[in-house]
Amino acid sequence: YVPGPVSLLEDSNIDVLGGFLSFFLVLFVNQTNGRFLQMYGFSKACSGRIQDVAGLARAQLPSEVGEKLIRHLNAAHIAGYVGLNGVGQGSPYSKTFFFDVYNQKHDLLTPEEMEMMEYSYYNMDNSGQCMKELCTWCQIQVAQARKAGHIDTIQEKSLHDGVLAFRAAVDGMYDFTDQPPHFFYVHFLDLLSVLYLPLFAITTASSAGWGEECYLGLDILNGLIVLLQCIFVIGLRALGMKMVDPYGDDHEDLSVILYVEATLETCDTIMNTQFGVLEETLPPPPVYKVRQSDDSDRVKKHTTQEQEPPVHEAPRHSTQEQEPPVYEAPHLEASDNETNDTATSDVSCVEDADRDEEAEIRDIV
């Protein structure tokens, strides 16, 4: 015997509602994961821009001016994370237990500068205005360094671009934190989950059998299916909500403390590099003067003489036309002995000329 409502329930199609819920859940998790990765990129961009400015300051500015600039920029970095308490869902980073601890450890701001920050109208725990104030200090220092002649306008622009890029990255974190996913979107997922999961459990139980058609193994299998479906729906929703705000104290949140400490350590390494100090302590290299020998002078003279083109004089033509001379070869009768003597003298003359030419080449070399 199967009751009528149960038979009607078997004919219903609950899978359509499950398909809509699965689609919206996957879309929600994909969007929150994109937010998480973008906020991670902003956090790493803050560290990267500070390191860029530190490298430029170490190479272009005097040590005192460069160290002061990097101190203020690192202070702005930490103050930016403290300012997250004023937007979104807040953060566990406060001025007392986060900014003051690193300020005391690394001497980021002097007591006079801390008084200037405290007397300002901005509260570090409730807004990001202190971060922007410190960024403005950095820009003023760069402008003063250019007026003092330490850097030129191109170098000034590079430093300004680094400071402004850092401030833009922190503003990106504030923008995403201040605008979470729409409430209607999250509420719609909660409503679908509440309606779908009980219906899915009832449908699965009715399909396992009724009355005498009861099988223990089939009941256990259907129970596992219902449990896995609940884990899928509730787990994806919880995962998406965890990735909405990654600046918290959860295990899957971003490692803000690691980013801050790594940036401070890297800046300390850049500012304390010994390359410039080593070059200043090294003695200047010796200067050797090359003395030209007489042979090199002769080579230069010989080369100059060989390179000078010969000067030919134009033949002088008379006004009267002259007939070309006619030469007649003389008919000489010589004996064999005279011919041999003439050939021998020619060979000796050639050998003497070769010896003279070799001697002249040796003198030149």
Side-chain angles (χ1 to χ4, degrees):
Y1 172 74
V2 179
V6 174
S7 60
L8 294 175
L9 184 63
E10 292 178 354
D11 296 333
S12 64
N13 192 1
I14 194 68
D15 296 335
V16 177
L17 181 60
F20 277 110
L21 179 60
S22 300
F23 171 76
F24 283 112
L25 276 174
V26 173
L27 183 62
F28 174 68
V29 173
N30 186 31
Q31 290 181 353
T32 55
N33 183 57
R35 286 171 51 91
F36 184 89
L37 294 178
Q38 285 184 333
M39 297 173 84
Y40 167 77
F42 285 133
S43 296
K44 298 301 290 184
C46 292
S47 301
R49 300 299 76 75
I50 294 175
Q51 295 175 26
D52 294 342
V53 175
L56 293 173
R58 178 62 182 87
Q60 299 173 358
L61 294 175
S63 58
E64 297 180 357
V65 179
E67 290 176 359
K68 184 178 180 181
L69 175 64
I70 299 306
R71 284 195 297 104
H72 289 170
L73 201 56
N74 279 309
H77 187 205
I78 301 174
Y81 286 114
V82 176
L84 289 172
N85 288 308
V87 293
Q89 302 178 6
S91 68
Y93 312 109
S94 62
K95 178 181 180 298
T96 304
F97 300 104
F98 192 67
F99 183 86
D100 291 343
V101 172
Y102 284 107
N103 184 38
Q104 183 179 3
K105 182 178 180 181
H106 296 278
D107 297 328
L108 301 177
L109 298 179
T110 62
E112 293 78 10
E113 294 170 345
M114 284 296 300
E115 291 181 1
M116 293 175 60
M117 294 295 299
E118 291 175 358
Y119 284 132
S120 63
Y121 296 100
Y122 311 116
N123 187 358
M124 188 181 296
D125 287 320
N126 295 326
S127 69
Q129 299 301 324
C130 291
M131 177 273 301
K132 297 185 179 181
E133 177 76 15
L134 290 170
C135 289
T136 306
W137 289 9
C138 296
Q139 290 184 281
I140 293 174
Q141 294 175 47
V142 173
Q144 291 175 350
R146 195 264 304 164
K147 293 179 181 178
H150 299 309
I151 54 177
D152 55 18
T153 55
I154 298 177
Q155 296 170 336
E156 179 190 13
K157 184 180 182 301
S158 299
L159 291 171
H160 277 305
D161 291 343
V163 175
L164 294 177
F166 162 77
R167 191 178 68 180
V170 180
D171 287 338
M173 293 190 298
Y174 288 170
D175 294 339
F176 275 94
T177 306
D178 190 49
Q179 181 58 54
H182 299 290
F183 170 76
F184 178 79
Y185 195 9
V186 180
H187 181 69
F188 181 66
L189 288 175
D190 294 342
L191 180 62
L192 284 179
S193 301
V194 170
L195 295 177
Y196 169 73
L197 290 177
L199 291 176
F200 178 77
I202 294 174
T203 304
T204 305
S206 64
S207 63
W210 191 269
E212 296 180 357
E213 298 178 355
C214 295
Y215 302 97
L216 181 61
L218 185 59
D219 292 339
I220 295 175
L221 179 61
N222 289 330
L224 290 176
I225 293 175
V226 172
L227 178 62
L228 291 176
Q229 185 72 359
C230 293
I231 292 175
F232 171 76
V233 174
I234 299 176
L236 283 180
R237 179 191 171 278
L239 177 62
M241 293 302 298
K242 286 291 184 180
M243 290 190 296
V244 168
D245 185 19
Y247 298 108
D249 53 359
D250 297 329
H251 293 290
E252 63 273 3
D253 287 336
L254 297 177
S255 303
V256 174
I257 297 177
L258 177 62
Y259 303 157
V260 171
E261 292 182 352
T263 304
L264 290 170
E265 183 180 359
T266 304
C267 291
D268 184 68
T269 303
I270 293 173
M271 299 306 295
N272 294 326
T273 180
Q274 299 298 318
F275 180 77
V277 179
L278 181 62
E279 281 193 342
E280 293 176 359
T281 55
L282 288 176
V287 180
Y288 299 99
K289 294 183 179 180
V290 180
R291 182 177 177 275
Q292 296 181 353
S293 60
D294 297 338
D295 294 338
S296 62
D297 294 339
R298 287 198 298 269
V299 170
K300 288 184 178 180
K301 292 179 180 179
H302 181 72
T303 306
T304 305
Q305 293 176 0
E306 288 182 350
Q307 292 178 353
E308 291 180 355
V311 180
H312 300 281
E313 295 182 358
R316 299 178 181 177
H317 300 280
S318 58
T319 56
Q320 298 180 357
E321 297 181 358
Q322 298 180 358
E323 296 181 357
V326 179
Y327 298 95
E328 295 181 357
H331 298 280
L332 299 178
E333 295 180 358
S335 61
D336 296 337
N337 294 332
E338 290 177 355
T339 304
N340 294 333
D341 294 339
T342 303
T344 303
S345 61
D346 293 339
V347 172
S348 60
C349 292
V350 172
E351 292 177 353
D352 294 338
D354 293 338
R355 283 193 297 271
D356 294 339
E357 186 177 0
E358 292 177 357
E360 184 179 1
I361 291 174
R362 285 196 298 272
D363 294 338
I364 292 173
V365 174

